Amino acid sequence: MGNSTNIQNCENNTIGNVNNMTDDDKFNEVMMHYVKPPLLATLLLIMLSMGCTVDLKKLWAHCKRPWGLAIGVVCQFGFMPLIAFILKMSFKLERASATAVLLMGCCPGGVISNVLSYWTDGDMDLSIFMTVISTILATGFMPLNLFIYSPTLAQGCNDTNKSPDASMITPYTEIGITLVALIIPIVLGIFIAKKWPKQSKILLKVGTSVGAVIFFILAVTTSLLYRGAWKADSSLLAIGVISPFIGYTTGFVLAVILRQSWKRCRTIGFETGAQSGQICTTILMLSFKPEILKSMFAYPVIYILFQIIEGLILVTVYQLYKRFRKPSEQSVDSSPKSQKKLFAQSRKKKAPADENTYKTTPSN
């Protein structure tokens, strides 16, 4: 009974008093209403095209030896909440803003990571596997991390209008819908790639170019037009700028330390830094009153914008590197197995040359 009462109180909080909504609140609500349908359609197109890249044998190999997945889970649900906690304490944010920062740090990876991994020649099977699994694990890890780093958010709903310490409601329905929106187009993409391989290549190009461009335009435009986000405290803005970069760097560096291939390192980095803003905003809407939401919504909007901008910068750097690197640097996979193969191949190539040199050398 106690838990159901808390949930009911928090649901009442989300309804709030419509008369208290400002013009900015009404504008934001109308904008989000019109943005959601094309955004959802674009996400489905992107995931459908991502499904065309999946190799079932490689996916099964990740299931049997889930080292890359394990590193990603540690980064997403271990390091990112800790980083968010350190940042909110270091910048001494007000309680509402600090709550939003912590919540965003506890969210799983988002679809943006799949697109960024594709554009940097990452391990797409691992990327999609991590996105799906992290979304499932979020149902348990998010409440756990919120309990560890901010117990007041997990213990009950405070009915005080001025306090942001309402209980966090984990949106199991929303997470379930997200999983369906991920899995169904991915499975359909795998089927299309098997049944019509030529057509799947066209779909892949359309989804990763046109679909991704539309998605980025919608996300960036929404972030820029969202009223109230850019009136946020400078400390909150600074955290929103540096936090995605810290996430990208943390995932990449940890994967390098644990001797993963470069493809996996890039993938794990993007999966760590690119978090699901959709799940974050849903939890905020379910858990807090409208008068508090404006100050809390600013952070996920800022984070989403800068994780895209910084991700595109990294993609650009990689593409420039790939274009201008030397022919001898064609292999970017530094895993021990690949190094052994390259060494064996180089020895085979050198052997005939040595024999020919020996034969053509005149004897004394």
Side-chain angles (χ1 to χ4, degrees), residues 125-176:
D125 302 288
L126 176 62
S127 179
I128 293 172
F129 190 39
M130 284 181 63
T131 301
V132 173
I133 296 299
S134 68
T135 305
I136 295 173
L137 294 178
T139 58
F141 276 112
M142 287 186 71
L144 176 62
N145 278 314
L146 290 171
F147 178 79
I148 293 172
Y149 293 108
S150 187
T152 56
L153 295 176
Q155 287 176 353
C157 184
N158 193 325
D159 294 329
T160 305
N161 290 338
K162 296 181 181 180
S163 174
D165 290 337
S167 65
M168 289 288 194
I169 300 175
T170 304
Y172 295 105
T173 302
E174 180 70 23
I175 292 175

Side-chain angles (χ1 to χ4, degrees), residues 71 249-260 262 265:
I71 296 170
T249 305
T250 301
F252 183 84
V253 170
L254 183 61
V256 170
I257 292 173
L258 296 177
R259 302 185 66 189
Q260 298 298 297
W262 288 118
C265 292

Side-chain angles (χ1 to χ4, degrees), residues 4-176:
S4 62
T5 303
N6 284 338
I7 293 174
Q8 184 63 44
N9 289 337
C10 291
E11 288 175 347
N12 291 337
N13 285 348
T14 63
I15 298 173
N17 188 351
V18 179
N19 295 328
N20 291 336
M21 293 181 67
T22 63
D23 291 337
D24 287 351
D25 295 331
K26 293 176 181 178
F27 173 83
N28 292 336
E29 186 176 1
V30 171
M31 181 180 66
M32 295 304 295
H33 175 76
Y34 284 105
V35 165
K36 280 184 179 180
L39 186 60
L40 177 60
T42 306
L43 288 175
L44 292 175
L45 173 62
I46 291 173
M47 295 315 297
L48 179 65
S49 63
M50 291 292 104
C52 295
T53 67
V54 174
D55 185 328
L56 292 178
K57 291 182 179 179
K58 292 181 180 179
L59 190 62
W60 179 243
H62 284 302
C63 293
K64 291 193 295 183
R65 297 176 61 86
W67 303 118
L69 174 64
I71 296 170
V73 169
V74 170
C75 289
Q76 284 182 331
F77 298 114
F79 284 107
M80 288 306 288
L82 177 61
I83 290 168
F85 177 76
I86 293 173
L87 287 174
K88 84 179 185 71
M89 296 298 292
S90 300
F91 283 86
K92 298 179 180 180
L93 297 174
E94 60 174 340
R95 299 174 80 177
S97 298
T99 300
V101 170
L102 180 59
L103 178 59
M104 191 74 195
C106 296
C107 285
V111 177
I112 297 173
S113 61
N114 304 129
V115 180
L116 297 176
S117 295
Y118 176 79
W119 284 347
T120 54
D121 301 325
D123 188 333
M124 291 309 301
D125 302 288
L126 176 62
S127 179
I128 293 172
F129 190 39
M130 284 181 63
T131 301
V132 173
I133 296 299
S134 68
T135 305
I136 295 173
L137 294 178
T139 58
F141 276 112
M142 287 186 71
L144 176 62
N145 278 314
L146 290 171
F147 178 79
I148 293 172
Y149 293 108
S150 187
T152 56
L153 295 176
Q155 287 176 353
C157 184
N158 193 325
D159 294 329
T160 305
N161 290 338
K162 296 181 181 180
S163 174
D165 290 337
S167 65
M168 289 288 194
I169 300 175
T170 304
Y172 295 105
T173 302
E174 180 70 23
I175 292 175

